[in-house]
Amino acid sequence: MAVITVLKMGDPRLLLQAEKVKDFGSDALKADIADMVDTMRHFIGVGLAAPQIGISKQIIILEAADNPRYPDAGVIELDILFNPKIIHFSQQKDFAWEGCLSLPGMRGKVERARTITYQAVNQQGQPYTATVQGFHARVIQHEIDHLNGILYPQRLESFNDFGFEDSLPDFQQTLI
Ligand code: NI
């Protein structure tokens, strides 16, 4: 449908609690999803949350395959989650560099649960539960944070591990 401007950190709309989706199957919801997919692909994201394009609804999308911004991402088929909620976080946690289309050119090292179990609703309005791990689990944790008005800098353990991609030696090493 359209590539939408991604809101950047500082925009108060990124701090809102997003509303639950109820209008499954509606043309308006289909249009929102199409805009999200077009926007994520255009800006080479591996995930996008609806609030990032100014839609305060609980929708996240993810997709990864040969993404130059995340060379270790592996393959994640396009997935669209409505009203997602994490119901279990593993005790094991990992630190890794995260980026966000709302903070272009920046990265921060964030600790996330290695494995999560989440509940969500599919495009037909049916609830389901799934368990994912690794990078996939990280992306979902990051995107669900957006639905609660949280950006990854709020998750940093140290500001020493936060900055511009081209100036962080530790991040640069991950690209070699
Ligand atoms: Ni983000």
Side-chain angles (χ1 to χ4, degrees):
M1 294 272 291
V3 174
I4 311 292
T5 302
V6 177
L7 304 183
K8 294 200 188 88
M9 183 177 165
D11 192 305
R13 287 172 287 180
L14 289 171
L15 305 176
L16 299 173
Q17 172 67 48
E19 300 289 330
K20 277 201 166 160
V21 173
K22 295 184 180 134
D23 58 335
F24 294 100
S26 73
D27 288 344
L29 189 59
K30 285 177 192 157
D32 287 343
I33 294 161
D35 287 346
M36 287 178 68
V37 172
D38 287 350
T39 302
M40 175 179 70
R41 289 176 173 166
H42 178 80
F43 292 108
I44 319 177
V46 290
L48 189 77
Q52 291 181 275
I53 58 168
I55 300 168
S56 191
K57 294 182 188 171
Q58 293 182 23
I59 312 167
I60 67 172
I61 63 171
L62 37 153
E63 181 180 50
D66 297 328
N67 188 313
R69 293 181 63 236
Y70 293 92
D72 297 328
V75 174
I76 303 172
E77 300 290 333
L78 178 65
D79 199 7
I80 302 162
L81 281 60
F82 301 95
N83 307 337
K85 187 171 188 247
I86 298 170
I87 56 173
H88 183 260
F89 296 86
S90 66
Q91 294 284 323
Q92 300 128 308
K93 298 186 191 308
D94 298 303
F95 275 98
W97 293 102
E98 290 190 11
C100 180
L101 296 180
S102 294
L103 289 86
M106 302 195 80
R107 297 283 174 144
K109 212 168 192 178
V110 180
E111 188 180 48
R112 301 280 188 188
R114 186 177 298 172
T115 305
I116 58 164
T117 300
Y118 65 88
Q119 287 178 338
V121 177
N122 66 20
Q123 290 193 74
Q124 289 73 44
Q126 303 299 317
Y128 65 97
T129 301
T131 298
V132 293
Q133 58 185 331
F135 185 82
H136 194 157
R138 176 172 294 276
V139 175
I140 289 181
Q141 289 171 84
H142 175 116
E143 301 307 336
I144 288 179
D145 270 354
H146 277 297
L147 305 181
N148 297 312
I150 296 168
L151 299 172
Y152 78 79
Q154 291 167 256
R155 300 281 190 198
L156 292 170
E157 188 167 279
S158 168
F159 274 100
N160 293 339
D161 292 324
F162 179 52
F164 291 93
E165 290 173 348
D166 56 7
S167 301
L168 284 162
D170 289 351
F171 170 70
Q172 288 291 323
Q173 282 189 359
T174 68
L175 299 179
I176 294 168

